[in-house]
Amino acid sequence: MKKTVLIISGLLMAMATQAQSIAPQPFYPGKEPVNNVARTSSDHTQIIVNSDGTQRSTISSCDCWVERDRGFQVAPFLNGTAPDYRNDDGSTDTITLVSPFCFYGTYYRKLFINNNGNISFGQPYATYSADSFPNTNFVMIAPFWGDVDTRGPASGLVYYEQTNSHLIVQWDSVGYFNSYDDKRNAFQLIITDGLDPLLPAGYNVGFCYKNMEWTTGDASQGSGGFGGIPATVGVNQGNGINYIQMGRFDQAGSAYDGPGGLPDGIDFLDNQSFIFNSCVSNFNIAPVVSSQSACD
C-alpha cells in the first residue's frame, strides 16, 4: 500500500492554528510547499522517451520511482573497482551537470555523488554518521544520509543517469556497514532544471523510496541495522538557515511524529515520494503534517 503524506503550509496552517496549539517545528524553505504530489494519469503522468528512442515506463500516480534503463550507469566511486564500484564511504569525482541546478538561489553545475545516501556541492563527503539539519558543515541533498556499504555480495549498487534537464541517483537495495546485506534500502533522488517532466513544473527535487529496512551501521553505534545515531532525510544549504528535514530514523516500524520530533521508524518511508522546490532562499514556511492523501 502506498503512503503519501501531505505537508500543508500557508493558509491551511493558519486555519489549523486557530483550532489547536501547534508545537514549534523546524522550517521548510521555499514558497512551494513540500508536497507528496498525487499525480493522475490524466494530468501529470509522463512517458519518458530515452535517447535511444525506447520508452520508459510511465510515472504512475503517487510514485516518482524511475526504473533503470540503458541510460543509467554505475556511479564510479573513486575507492571502488569497476564494473560494480562496491565501496564504503566513497564519493565520485566531480560530475558536471548539463543544465545548472538551482539550490537556494545559487546555480550549481558541479556536484559529487556520495555513497552514504546524498549528493553534495563544493566537496565530497565521506561522513557516515548523519547529523541533523540545519548544519553549517554540509551542503547536501540527502534522500537518506546513513552508512551505506555496498561491499556485501547481496547488496545492490548505486546508479545514476543524466540528461539535458535531470539527474537521477538510485541507491538500489543497498546494504549497511560493516558489509551487511541482510537488510537493504532502495531509494532514489531526482534533481531537475525545474521544467523536466519527471517532476511537476516548478519543483526541482524528488525523493522516492521503495522498501527501506535499516537505519544505522555498526560504526554509528548501531546494532543489527538499528539504534545509534539516526539517519537523516532532507536538504541543507550549509548556512544554518535554509534547510528541509523530513525526519531522522533509527528504528524499525512506521512511527513518525514530524520532522523535529523523536527519531522515527524506517518503514514510514516505504513507497513514499516527496517532491519539492529547493530553489527559493530566505523564505521559510512552518510545516504541519495535515493528512494522508487518497493514495494511501
Side-chain angles (χ1 to χ4, degrees), residues 139-150:
V139 183
M140 69 162 58
I141 300 178
F144 184 80
W145 182 15
D147 197 357
V148 174
D149 186 342
T150 61

Side-chain angles (χ1 to χ4, degrees), residues 1-6 35-40 60-63 270-273 291-296:
M1 178 180 293
K2 286 187 164 46
K3 299 178 294 182
T4 301
V5 175
L6 297 180
N35 193 351
N36 258 14
V37 178
R39 292 172 289 179
T40 64
S60 60
S61 176
C62 308
D63 183 10
D270 287 350
N271 302 309
Q272 289 273 26
S273 298
S291 65
Q292 291 186 328
S293 81
C295 299
D296 185 6

